[in-house]
Structure formats: C-alpha cells, structure tokens
Amino acid sequence: MNRSAWGGVGFTLPALLWILLFFIGPVLLMVAASLHPLTAAGVPSPQWGLGAYRAFFSQPAYVQALIDSVVTTIVVTVLSTVISYPFAWSIACVVPARWQRLALIMAILPFWTSYVVRSYAWLLAISPVGLVNKALLALHLIHRPLMLAYNPHATELGFVHFFLMLNTLTIYASLKQINPRYELAARDLGASSWRAFFGITLPLSMPGVATGAFLTIVLTIGDYVTPQILGGFRQLLLPQLIMMQIQRQLDLASASAMSLILTAIVALAYLGLQRWLRLSRL
Amino acid sequence: MKTLTLFASLYMALCYLFIFLPVVVLVLFSFQAGNLPVPPLKGLSLRWYLAVFHDARLMGGFGHSLVVGVVSSALSVLLGFLAAYGLARYDMPGKRFIRGIIMLPMAVSYLLVGMGLLVSASALGAAPGLPTVIIGHVVMNMPLAFAICLAQLGEHQRRIEYAARDLGAGTLRVLLTITAPMIAPTLIAAFCMCFTLSWDEFLIAFLNTRFDVTLPVVIWGLLRGGLTPETNAAGALIFLISIGLMLAVEILLLRKRRA
C-alpha cells in the first residue's frame, strides 16, 4: 500500500471503528447472550446451548407470532408497493414538470409527524367515536360505528400509510432516472403504450420498487409501536413478544434469540431483493 | 390520454386524502376546546398548547431529545463526512467492503441496534441513559450522512483541492478550509436530516433509558393515560419543528443543485 492509501484508511477509520464497536460488537454479544439460556433459577446458564432457540420453536404461541409477523410484513409490503406505484407514476408522468416537486413534497409531508404520534392519530381517526365513523354515520352509509381499531387490519393500515409515502419517494426517484426516449423508441417501433410500459418503464423502475420494498420489510418486521397502539391484544407480533421478554421476564437470552431470528428473516429478504437494491443511492 | 389523466388525478386525490387524514385529525383536535380529541369540536382554543408548555415531563423529554439529536447528528455528520472524503479521494484496497460495513446498519431494524446496546450495557454493567441512546443514533444515522456526503463529493471540488495543494496547503488545511466550506450546505442538510430522525426515534431510546427519557418515550407514557388533546398539541408541535427542518434541507440542497 502506498502513502495515499493509508491516508484514505485514516479518514474512514473513525466511522469503521464506531460501527465495529457499537454495532457489530454488540450484535456478537447478543449472539453470545442468546446461547446462554436462562436456567430455572432465572440466571444465564454458564454452559453454551441452543435452549433459547429450542424454547422459541417449541412454543406454538411464539411460532404463531413469527408467522403473523412475516404475513403482516408481506401484506404491508405488497399493498404499499401496489398502491404507491400508480401514485408515483402519476406524479412523475402526469403532473406537469414544474409542479412535480411540490406534488412529491406534499405526498411525503406527513412522513415527518412523530413516529409514536402517527399511530395515535390513526387511532383517533378510526376509533368508534372518531372522525371516520362520525363522517360515515352523517352520510348515512352506516348505522352503527364500525370497529376499525384494535385489530390486525388497523396495524396494517397504520403501516401502509407510512410506507405508501416512503415507496412513493423511492419509486418516483427511480422513474425520473429513466430516459424518456427509451419509451418513445419502443412506441416508434410499434409497441402499444401498455407494452412500452411493461417492457421498458416497469423493469427499469425496479431498483426503486426493490429499495422501497426492502426498507418496508426492515422497518415493518422490527416495529413495536404500530401493532402495540393499533393492533389490540388478540394478535401479538414478534417485537411485542421481545419487549415482553425484556420487561416482564427479564430474559435477555430469549429476547436476543428472537431478535436474531427476526434479523435472519430480514437477511433473507435482502438476498431475495439484492440484484435490484441501491441502498446507497437513496 | 384524456381519460388516463382523469383517472390519474382521481387516484392522486384519493392518495392525498389517505395520506393527510391522520395529520388533519391530529392538528384539528389539538385546537379542541373540550376535553376529548374526538368529534364534536366544541370550539377552538389554545389551552392544550399551553398545557404542553407547562407539562414538566414533556418539556424535560424535549430537552433530552434536543441534546440527543444535536450530539448524535453532529457525530454522525463528522464521521460520515470523513469516511466519505476518504473513499472519494483516496485509492485503497477493499473500498466496496469498507462501504458495505459503513452502510450495514441501514439494512437492519432499530430493534437489533437497540437490543445489541441493551445486552452490551447489561453485560458491561453500564447504567442505561442518554449516552447509550446517542451511540445508537449515530450507528443508525451515520450511514445516511455518509451516503449524502459521498453523493456530493464530485470532480468539481477535487480540482480546487488540487489547486490548494499545489499552493502548499496540507491535507488537513485543504479539508478544513476548502472541502468542508464548499459542501457546507450538504453538511447542514445531512445534520438536519439526522436530527429529525434522531429526536423522534423511539425503540433505541425506549430500550436504553430509564429516568432521563426522550420526548417520544414521554409521549408513549402519555398514551397510556388515555386520549387527551394535549397529546395532539404535542404531536402538532413536533410535526411543525420537523417540517421546518426538512424545508431547510430542501432549500439547502435545491440551492446547491442550481448553483
């Protein structure tokens, strides 16, 4: 290595050390903690063992929470992508160029409401005495308030609202990077506008779709606030179980094991979407 | 084409309605004169905003969030900028690997970072508190600051840096008097971005504090007490501050693009 290379390493070193010391190190400690399951006395066992993982997979309620978490994440990811794509496309291709920036800013403005407050605001909107029910009653569309809050669909609603904004942003950015001449060329060669869209525009916008989808998966599967406020208690998701391990059982070994299982699912999603992902170009 | 435009406009209107519904509910009922943040609206009043300013817990949480936000964002931008400068200006082996390591936290959930710090603090016997939260927020936000800086360190500045070097300036002097001032708007924008994410972050703060809690954790506690327009008022104020910061980012980055 020449002198210049060492200089470059010097500049990147503080950031690398920070990640190593405060992210990779702690995660390795978590792995170690998860391999020392609690004994009957409630202290970490001195022996290494897979007890925490075995306990997780032998509890039907825990496995159900894992399945529910994965299903919720898939539903939320698919819905937010499908709803946001036409929205982003409309902003990029229908709205006149000079208004696009404003249209996009408006589309992601509520993104900046406080994270905890956003779920609370949805709770207010869809509660039996909330604005949505009051409006539907006033319009005589319903006769009794609908029970919209405190169920798994309310959780999905809260998530889809948030990720609709995020995906609109990533898909819009991807659509704007496509050279419009490609589609014109396809049209000149006789493709219908549908064929040009599905043959040219859609494949070229996949990086935006995949980036948005991946962020949706990461942030949905690890979220505790939205299901806790909107979801009610009939269905618990994995992060809620993890919190219960920490707060009620004081069982860091199980909580670590569950967090690592959750991370393994995120890693699978990453591998699946990898060929399109452009995380550094957000 | 006409029908397509019509459909698109209709669809966009529906999306905007959906996106803004909770914000409207939040802000509208923060002005509620009555005691509940649900219809009917019993007149408009600012009493809940006054209540927020007189609430010691909320104001304490605000102070903690401010400290965490400012310190963690300053560290994120400093480390992210240095790393981006190193990668953009020097040739070295393993560039992709270094970039991958720095960007790694962007691919994991806040829960993993928060849990990792909790487990480490308990293994080391460290008391939970704001320093741990700051450390966690730098882990999550530094990759973002790094990516923003890397995107802005182009060839244009490199030529000016060479000129300064030819005139005898050392590495540090070039960095401090040439590069940093040239991309100052980017650095400020990255700072604002990190700050809005940090001061609103819940999970890492929730897991790693006990008494000196941040604003989102205080609001979380308020929610347990039932529905009150005070929560709406606090939420509306947080929204206002975040929007102000993001507008600053927008203006800074837009001006840069035009320049």
Side-chain angles (χ1 to χ4, degrees), chain B residues 144-253:
Chain B
L144 186 70
F146 166 77
I148 294 175
C149 290
L150 196 59
Q152 297 287 339
L153 283 170
E155 283 306 304
H156 163 67
Q157 296 115 344
R158 193 202 278 260
R159 262 173 256 138
I160 303 178
E161 284 164 16
Y162 277 143
R165 219 169 267 243
D166 279 349
L167 294 170
T171 308
L172 196 67
R173 186 138 178 230
V174 170
L175 191 69
L176 288 178
T177 62
I178 307 290
T179 315
M182 269 195 299
I183 69 158
T186 305
L187 296 178
I188 299 170
F191 178 89
C192 293
M193 196 91 157
C194 292
F195 183 87
T196 52
L197 291 172
S198 165
W199 86 307
D200 188 36
E201 195 281 327
F202 175 76
L203 257 182
I204 296 175
F206 184 61
L207 282 168
N208 289 290
T209 52
R210 199 161 297 155
F211 305 111
D212 43 0
V213 289
T214 59
L215 192 54
V217 182
V218 176
I219 292 177
W220 180 256
L222 271 186
L223 295 186
R224 291 207 180 157
L227 306 179
T228 153
E230 191 184 343
T231 311
N232 293 49
L237 287 170
I238 295 172
F239 183 48
L240 202 68
I241 295 173
S242 288
I243 291 289
L245 283 168
M246 289 325 291
L247 276 180
V249 171
E250 180 69 22
I251 290 165
L252 283 168
L253 288 182

Side-chain angles (χ1 to χ4, degrees), chain A residues 1-2 4-5 7-9 11-12 14-16 18-19 22-24 26-27 29-30 33 82-84 86-87 89-91 94-95 101 103-107 109-110 112-118 120-125 127 129-132 134 157 160-161 164-165 214-215 218-219 222-225 228-229 239 242-243 246-247 252 255-256 259-260 262-263 266 270 279-280 282, chain B residues 4-5 8-9 11-12 15-16 18-23 25-26 29 37-40 75 79-80 82-83 85-87 90-93 98-99 101-113 115-120 122-123 134-135 138-139 142-143 147 171 175 193 196-197 200 202-203 206-207 216 219-220 223 227-229 231-232 235 238-239 242-243 246 250 254 257:
Chain A
M1 252 197 278
N2 55 26
S4 136
V9 171
F11 282 116
T12 54
L16 282 174
W18 195 280
I19 300 289
F22 300 124
F23 175 60
I24 296 174
V27 170
L29 274 180
M30 265 176 82
V82 169
I83 297 174
S84 59
F87 189 36
W89 183 86
S90 302
I91 295 177
V94 177
V95 174
R101 199 141 190 100
L104 187 71
I105 290 175
M106 292 306 278
L109 200 66
W112 304 108
T113 44
S114 166
Y115 169 64
V116 174
V117 172
R118 201 163 31 232
Y120 162 79
W122 269 114
L123 186 64
L124 289 185
S127 86
V129 290
L131 194 66
V132 170
K134 284 278 155 69
L157 177 82
V160 168
H161 173 251
L164 168 60
M165 298 186 273
F214 179 67
L215 289 174
V218 173
L219 295 171
D223 187 38
Y224 166 69
V225 168
Q228 188 76 4
I229 293 180
I242 294 173
M243 285 298 176
I246 297 169
Q247 294 175 321
L252 284 185
S256 297
S259 306
L260 291 167
L262 198 136
T263 305
V266 171
Y270 181 84
L279 281 184
S280 56
L282 279 182
Chain B
L4 185 66
T5 310
S9 311
Y11 186 75
M12 286 174 67
C15 283
Y16 281 120
F18 176 60
I19 287 172
F20 274 92
L21 178 66
V23 181
V25 171
L26 181 77
F29 290 99
V38 288
L75 278 170
L79 296 180
L82 287 179
Y85 184 80
L87 281 180
Y90 292 88
D91 269 325
M92 56 185 135
I98 293 175
R99 196 151 83 176
I101 295 280
I102 295 177
M103 296 297 287
L104 196 59
M106 280 193 109
V108 302
S109 51
Y110 284 82
L111 185 69
L112 187 75
V113 175
M115 274 294 301
L117 289 170
L118 176 71
V119 170
S120 309
S122 102
I134 291 172
I135 287 172
V138 176
V139 169
M142 192 244 289
T171 308
L175 191 69
M193 196 91 157
T196 52
L197 291 172
D200 188 36
F202 175 76
L203 257 182
F206 184 61
L207 282 168
I219 292 177
W220 180 256
L223 295 186
L227 306 179
T228 153
T231 311
N232 293 49
I238 295 172
F239 183 48
S242 288
I243 291 289
M246 289 325 291
E250 180 69 22
L254 203 68
R257 220 168 289 145

Side-chain angles (χ1 to χ4, degrees), chain A residues 48 51 58 130-131 134 161 181 189 193 205 237 266:
Chain A
W48 297 81
S58 61
L131 194 66
K134 284 278 155 69
H161 173 251
R181 287 187 193 154
L189 294 171
S193 51
S205 63
L237 299 184
V266 171

Side-chain angles (χ1 to χ4, degrees), chain B residues 38-54:
Chain B
V38 288
L41 202 60
K42 295 175 179 160
L44 300 174
S45 120
L46 288 174
R47 60 182 278 218
W48 298 108
Y49 285 89
L50 279 176
V52 168
F53 288 113
H54 286 113

